[in-house]
Amino acid sequence: MKIAVLPGDGIGTEIVTEALKVLKALDLNLTLETALVGGAAFEAHGHPLPESTLQLAMASDAVLFGAVGDWKYDTLDRPLRPEQAILGLRKNLGLFANFRPAICYKQLTDASSLKPELVAGLDILIIRELTGDIYFGQPRGRRIATDGHFPGSEEAFDTMRYSRPEIERIAHIAFQAAQKRSKRVTSVDKANVLETFQFWKDIVSEVGKQYPDVALDHMYVDNAAMQLVKAPKKFDVVVTGNMFGDILSDAAAMLTGSIGMLPSASLNAKNQGLYEPSHGSAPDIAGQGVANPLATILSAAMMLRFSLNQPEAASRIEAAVDTVLSQGLRTPDIYSPGTNKVSTREMGDAVVKALK
Ligand code: NAD
């Protein structure tokens, strides 16, 4: 089992170091190969996703990714900016299914912006289609003038589109994920207004007939946004398009308290995946040893479960994270009075200890 390890920039290197410690402690037969990506790769090779890094990622079973970006690259031409590396990896690996679990650990309910009783025990899985929808329809690639306006034009438009196979494959992923959980899928659409999402709804329903053990319901995106903050525990697996998923998954993320706790996975049809925390490179705290490594450690657990077929090892990591939280260990982002503030490294060490 070969893993491409791409720490990236900012806190990326610090948090990936801790995730690697945890993976190594499991004594699995893993080959870990590290490469540069993002700003670090730009500095060394003049490109955020050098060919050697891309080839390594494509030849691996999974990619463990830290984060990329720094304000100092904001003036670079867009294709050279660190964030382009993620888009390049998504495109070249064909990563069409994005999994964003939003789990609120009972030990952290006070950190949520909602009342503890609304989020205690929250465990939602948002599955976002990642390579279609309005983000990839015409006029993708239109050049915008440097002042941010469309030269000589009084309108702008984007095209929302989905093809049948694109909807079918993400629907299958959602139903299969639900079979391993509480067997409920909510498909989020805007079928009352948009043809694309009437099509989406019809096809998800069709695919659903192949999964009679899974209950399917449909919800309009505006209602889903409302329900997410009113009664989030109503949801289990949520499947939706690229744009709605982008927005809803960030809203769901905040229900859990800290972005430092949230893992993610992006998968292709061969179950090859890119695993990364939901947050960015946090340049404001980089190098201080205060970043929360748990999102990355939990991303490594998702990698073991989804791409490397090691569900028991994944569960061990998740249980170890639960243990360290119960021990009261907190990086500053999740600290509250009465708990014990620890550094990035101390948190990683504690997870390793809890594994054993
Ligand atoms: P960010 O997620 O990096 O940081 C937002 C806030 O959350 C900051 O205050 C940061 O300190 C805090 N934070 C993030 N992760 C944390 C962690 N593990 N522990 C504790 N606190 C944490 O978002 P941003 O500040 O908007 O972006 C910073 C850079 O990251 C930008 O260059 C942006 O483009 C890039 N970015 C990269 C990715 C990615 O690599 N996938 C995703 C989002 C943003």
Side-chain angles (χ1 to χ4, degrees):
M1 292 180 289
K2 184 168 164 182
I3 301 168
V5 181
L6 311 183
D9 308 319
I11 61 169
T13 47
E14 301 166 50
I15 53 183
V16 167
T17 300
E18 302 311 314
L20 290 180
K21 249 189 224 170
V22 172
L23 283 174
K24 286 175 186 160
L26 288 166
D27 265 337
L28 300 167
N29 189 15
L30 303 177
T31 305
L32 302 159
E33 207 173 312
T34 301
L36 295 176
V37 74
F42 175 77
E43 301 288 350
H45 303 291
H47 197 278
L49 182 60
E51 191 54 30
S52 53
T53 301
L54 178 61
Q55 289 308 325
L56 170 67
M58 292 179 70
S60 301
D61 297 298
V63 178
L64 183 63
F65 193 95
V68 291
D70 192 292
W71 318 127
K72 70 180 174 187
Y73 301 115
D74 283 358
T75 51
L76 283 177
D77 281 350
R78 196 164 291 281
L80 295 178
R81 292 201 197 161
E83 294 79 5
Q84 293 296 316
I86 308 171
L87 300 181
L89 286 164
R90 276 184 196 161
K91 184 166 162 247
N92 282 285
L93 293 168
L95 304 172
F96 69 89
N98 182 225
F99 286 65
R100 290 264 302 253
I103 295 174
C104 186
Y105 288 86
K106 59 182 183 306
Q107 304 91 327
L108 298 180
T109 44
D110 286 343
S112 171
S113 43
L114 294 192
K115 291 181 197 132
E117 63 269 26
L118 289 182
V119 290
L122 180 76
D123 182 356
I124 306 176
L125 176 60
I126 298 194
I127 299 182
R128 166 187 170 196
E129 201 288 330
L130 205 55
T131 54
D133 204 348
I134 197 160
Y135 294 171
F136 288 88
Q138 282 180 325
R140 182 179 166 216
R142 180 206 286 259
R143 291 189 72 85
I144 299 177
T146 45
D147 65 357
H149 294 101
F150 293 94
S153 173
E154 289 306 311
E155 64 166 18
F157 69 92
D158 299 277
T159 314
M160 181 175 269
R161 66 161 290 287
Y162 263 119
S163 68
R164 172 178 280 275
E166 284 173 328
I167 301 171
E168 283 176 349
R169 66 183 181 176
I170 197 76
H172 281 292
I173 295 266
F175 286 112
Q176 286 162 17
Q179 282 180 322
K180 296 183 196 138
R181 295 169 52 101
S182 66
K183 300 190 171 53
R184 282 187 297 124
V185 169
T186 303
S187 171
V188 172
D189 62 58
K190 189 74 184 169
N192 49 343
V193 178
L194 299 168
E195 283 308 313
T196 314
F197 273 94
Q198 182 62 54
F199 188 56
W200 170 283
K201 186 174 179 177
D202 292 348
I203 293 173
V204 172
S205 299
E206 253 175 66
V207 173
K209 292 192 183 118
Q210 297 174 41
Y211 299 88
D213 55 329
V214 178
L216 168 67
D217 68 302
H218 302 274
M219 198 179 276
Y220 297 139
V221 64
D222 39 351
N223 187 22
M226 200 167 73
Q227 298 302 329
L228 210 49
V229 289
K230 185 177 168 215
K233 284 191 267 184
K234 268 191 187 166
F235 295 103
D236 188 54
V237 173
V238 174
V239 63
T240 189
N242 204 344
M243 180 166 63
F244 299 158
D246 190 2
I247 300 164
L248 292 181
S249 62
D250 267 27
M254 274 329 290
L255 303 180
T256 69
S258 171
I259 193 142
M261 293 298 301
L262 292 166
S264 82
S266 303
L267 295 174
N268 69 15
K270 294 184 290 186
N271 267 349
Q272 218 182 355
L274 182 140
Y275 299 84
E276 58 173 334
S278 296
H279 57 74
S281 57
D284 54 332
I285 56 166
Q288 297 172 24
V290 295
N292 186 344
L294 294 179
T296 315
I297 291 171
L298 291 166
S299 300
M302 288 185 88
M303 175 175 81
L304 292 169
R305 179 169 290 117
F306 288 115
S307 287
L308 305 178
N309 200 21
Q310 299 283 334
E312 281 163 24
S315 300
R316 275 185 70 196
I317 294 180
E318 287 156 357
V321 168
D322 197 69
T323 302
V324 300
L325 293 176
S326 294
Q327 289 165 348
L329 304 183
R330 303 281 188 273
T331 42
D333 57 307
I334 49 173
Y335 174 78
S336 58
T339 58
N340 185 5
K341 204 181 276 184
V342 295
S343 68
T344 309
R345 187 171 49 77
E346 287 167 333
M347 186 59 107
D349 289 343
V351 174
V352 169
K353 200 165 159 216
L355 274 181
K356 291 173 178 161

